[in-house]
Amino acid sequence: MESYYAVLEAIAGAPGDGVLAFIIQVEGSAYQKEGTCMWIDADGKTIGLLSGGCLEEAVAVHAIDILTRRQAAAVSFDLRAEDDSSWGQGAGCNGLVLIWLEPVTSDTRHDWLALKRCLDRGEHVLMVRSVVHPNERPFFQSETGEQFGGCCRTPRPEWREWLQGTPFYQGQNGLYEADGETFYIQHFWPKPRLVIFGAGPDAPPLVLAAKAAGFSVTVSDWRPAFCHPSHVPDADAWVIGFPHETVPALHLNERDFVVVMTHQFERDRELVSLLADKPLAYLGVLGPRRRTDRLFPSGSTPPFVRSPAGISIGARGPHEIAVSITAELISVLRGRLTRAER
């Protein structure tokens, strides 16, 4: 799960000022990478992790100073040493981590709330932050063209290219230089949506696992007693209806992930016929491949359909199968190939 979802929720609910800490550069190896963030409130309480626990306390101490001075700054931590005298407390991670501390006050809080609203609407947002001018607010632009934050400068052409041309969840965060100035670039992505067709007894474990991995989960079923918060309490949305009703109503697109698991052959056949021409990020069908083959008129499963859904780990039972499917969803989201695809 991307750390900024919880951080933005914390900012929205915070009664006062605080500090946003971003990892902006990693040299070598570290527990977290560029783009990971943490929220520190005025009392030193934190949301999120920048490391495995060895940096958070030190970052919180620096954050108090940032709040006092009301000016952003970068702080570096050397995790390469293996002795306890280092900031890494003997972590031996072989990495040098540069962290940017951004004060969030009554003057700038609305920028971060605007970012949250964009993500809630399903929009990709690019943030550009000058490292040379710490008093300048970050610049934000959403894929719909909305701009907010430090809009005193003219956006550079490459910023628009990165915003419009970056595949879903594939953008690189980090530092870059232009005209002698150093900027930090971060992509903020809306939560990927997983739609599960079928709300049988094996649906709740998959919903829970996918939610923990950062997906927004919608469950759809024609049976009201199954497609209900009392049966699938962790879902974000419940859509009741038959496939010919629900598939059009869901407005599926190339960022959506879909798993078909109704356990009723004719219902699955109807679903795959409706879904086959949709530009989905992922389409998986539960069950053995030979069963899935029979769902298609050609008698063969198209290459874009994952069947059986999930990475082959020898999973048994609903909870292990949920782990297997969630692992495959993450692999597709991050642009990684599974062993079977190599």
Side-chain angles (χ1 to χ4, degrees):
M1 179 177 182
E2 299 298 336
S3 56
Y4 47 77
Y5 301 136
V7 163
L8 291 173
E9 288 287 350
I11 293 175
D17 299 341
V19 172
L20 253 175
F22 287 93
I23 296 179
I24 62 173
Q25 187 177 45
V26 174
E27 294 182 10
S29 61
Y31 185 78
Q32 302 274 28
K33 300 301 182 183
E34 292 88 349
T36 305
C37 60
M38 181 176 79
W39 168 253
I40 307 103
D41 68 16
D43 296 325
K45 296 179 181 178
T46 63
I47 299 291
L49 285 174
L50 298 176
S51 69
C54 53
L55 290 182
E56 284 68 19
E57 185 177 348
V59 172
V61 171
H62 282 285
I64 300 303
D65 180 59
I66 293 294
L67 266 184
T68 302
R69 294 189 290 112
R70 290 293 197 272
Q71 181 170 304
V75 182
S76 64
F77 294 89
D78 192 343
L79 305 179
R80 294 171 294 190
E82 297 183 0
D83 59 277
D84 290 341
S85 63
S86 69
W87 276 112
Q89 299 177 9
C93 293
N94 297 317
L96 185 66
V97 181
L98 187 63
I99 295 175
W100 184 263
L101 299 173
E102 185 80 38
V104 179
T105 66
S106 57
D107 294 329
T108 60
R109 185 170 179 265
H110 57 90
D111 292 337
W112 300 100
L113 296 182
L115 169 61
K116 183 178 183 301
R117 288 193 296 272
C118 288
L119 297 181
D120 289 344
R121 293 195 299 263
E123 299 170 14
H124 169 208
V125 179
L126 182 72
M127 179 187 78
V128 182
R129 212 289 174 221
S130 171
V131 177
V132 179
H133 302 289
N135 289 324
E136 187 176 288
R137 287 157 53 200
F139 167 82
F140 298 88
Q141 182 169 336
S142 80
E143 62 182 308
T144 62
E146 179 183 357
Q147 296 180 2
F148 50 97
C151 299
C152 59
R153 65 175 68 224
T154 302
R156 297 183 60 85
E158 62 265 30
W159 300 354
R160 179 179 292 276
E161 292 174 10
W162 293 336
L163 181 63
Q164 301 295 338
T166 302
F168 189 49
Y169 257 81
Q170 302 302 307
Q172 294 295 314
N173 305 316
L175 299 176
Y176 97 106
E177 291 189 7
D179 297 333
E181 186 172 357
T182 302
F183 297 92
Y184 171 64
I185 302 296
Q186 171 134 2
H187 293 265
F188 291 92
W189 297 98
K191 285 187 177 183
R193 182 173 65 158
L194 169 63
V195 178
I196 300 173
F197 287 100
D202 54 350
L206 177 56
V207 172
L208 187 61
K211 283 270 290 185
F215 287 82
S216 173
V217 184
T218 295
V219 175
S220 180
D221 199 292
W222 65 96
R223 299 162 291 190
F226 283 9
C227 194
H228 191 273
S230 62
H231 178 63
V232 196
D234 298 300
D236 296 286
W238 302 262
V239 179
I240 301 171
F242 292 98
H244 71 274
E245 300 168 324
T246 57
V247 171
L250 285 164
H251 303 290
L252 298 165
N253 59 55
E254 67 278 359
R255 292 181 178 178
D256 287 323
F257 294 68
V258 173
V259 174
V260 176
M261 48 187 296
T262 72
H263 297 287
Q264 293 197 11
F265 186 82
E266 290 304 324
R267 199 71 68 206
D268 284 358
R269 192 205 297 271
E270 183 182 2
L271 278 165
V272 298
S273 70
L274 292 168
L275 296 169
D277 63 345
K278 301 290 183 184
L280 303 172
Y282 173 95
L283 175 57
V285 179
L286 196 68
R289 181 64 175 239
R290 60 183 179 275
R291 178 186 184 273
T292 304
D293 287 342
R294 292 166 49 216
L295 296 175
F296 293 90
S298 65
S300 177
T301 302
F304 62 84
V305 177
R306 308 286 179 126
S307 176
I311 291 175
S312 179
I313 58 172
R316 296 181 179 180
H319 292 278
E320 292 184 7
I321 291 172
V323 171
S324 167
I325 294 175
T326 302
E328 187 169 63
L329 298 177
I330 295 171
S331 176
V332 172
L333 182 67
R334 303 295 183 189
R336 301 293 181 90
L337 296 178
T338 64
R339 181 176 298 178
E341 294 171 312
R342 293 191 182 116

